[in-house]
Amino acid sequence: EPERRMKDSVNHFLSNNFVIHRDDFNQVKFNTALSGYGYEDTFFAYELKVKGIETIHILNPVLHDGLEDSTIFLSKIEESLHNLLRLESMCREQAIGFPLKSKLVQAYQTLCRPLFKPFALGFTLFLPALRRKLLSPKPALWALDLYRLFYLLKIS
């Protein structure tokens, strides 16, 4: 796991699994424009990479005492998607390439093309059904993937 993260230190960065010199950390800091939950560590990793600051990725598993309620989890997912759009906007304003190359981002960018945009907006009609599926006793990961994509299309 740490080896994979070191190969692509931006897209696989985890803020609880890295070591960095204090002076280097003080040069970059976490960007406060991305507040709340999600993607603030992605931009931090990107800034480290741009400045040529080396990070060492470590194995530091997080243990959870309990799971949060599905409604809270979905609200955090939604909050993270708002941050993803803020990150995209920040990159555009600073004229830098968008650093994240996830399947979600690739699908979103494809569906935002003019040819697909009318269909993409239609997909957002499925959000209530996907939400019900995710809050049901038998949620599915495919529903979460679609929910994230369709929610991102809705708020963009």
Side-chain angles (χ1 to χ4, degrees):
E1 176 79 31
E3 296 81 22
R4 180 176 70 98
R5 290 195 316 267
M6 287 187 76
K7 286 180 185 172
D8 187 356
S9 60
V10 174
N11 286 289
H12 299 292
F13 185 81
L14 298 171
S15 58
N16 64 314
N17 284 288
F18 78 103
V19 177
I20 186 173
H21 288 284
R22 180 188 311 210
D23 293 340
D24 292 335
F25 182 80
N26 288 333
Q27 280 184 53
V28 177
K29 304 268 190 207
F30 278 90
N31 191 311
T32 57
L34 297 172
S35 61
Y37 182 82
Y39 295 103
E40 65 282 352
D41 51 356
T42 302
F43 196 68
F44 177 75
Y46 173 77
E47 288 185 303
L48 290 173
K49 185 176 182 175
V50 166
K51 291 185 182 221
I53 297 173
E54 184 181 351
T55 57
I56 299 169
H57 295 253
I58 60 171
L59 185 59
N60 182 30
V62 175
L63 302 175
H64 295 277
D65 283 338
L67 296 175
E68 32 189 43
D69 157 293
S70 297
T71 307
I72 293 170
F73 176 73
L74 274 183
S75 68
K76 284 185 175 182
I77 292 292
E78 292 168 356
E79 185 178 359
S80 76
L81 295 171
H82 285 276
N83 262 356
L84 180 60
L85 289 181
R86 276 189 212 102
L87 175 58
E88 181 184 50
S89 176
M90 286 169 47
C91 291
R92 207 175 19 259
E93 288 168 7
Q94 296 177 24
I96 57 177
F98 191 64
L100 195 59
K101 306 293 181 230
S102 69
K103 289 178 184 177
L104 171 66
V105 169
Q106 290 171 350
Y108 166 73
Q109 289 172 339
T110 298
L111 291 172
C112 283
R113 292 183 184 145
L115 177 67
F116 297 111
K117 194 72 170 179
F119 300 107
L121 294 176
F123 291 147
T124 63
L125 298 172
F126 293 102
L127 279 169
L130 289 168
R131 185 176 185 81
R132 281 191 303 277
K133 175 68 176 165
L134 292 169
L135 297 176
S136 76
K138 292 193 176 197
L141 284 177
W142 63 264
L144 180 59
D145 289 341
L146 289 177
Y147 185 84
R148 290 172 66 216
L149 176 59
F150 296 170
Y151 188 85
L152 191 56
L153 289 167
K154 177 184 174 186
I155 64 173
S156 66

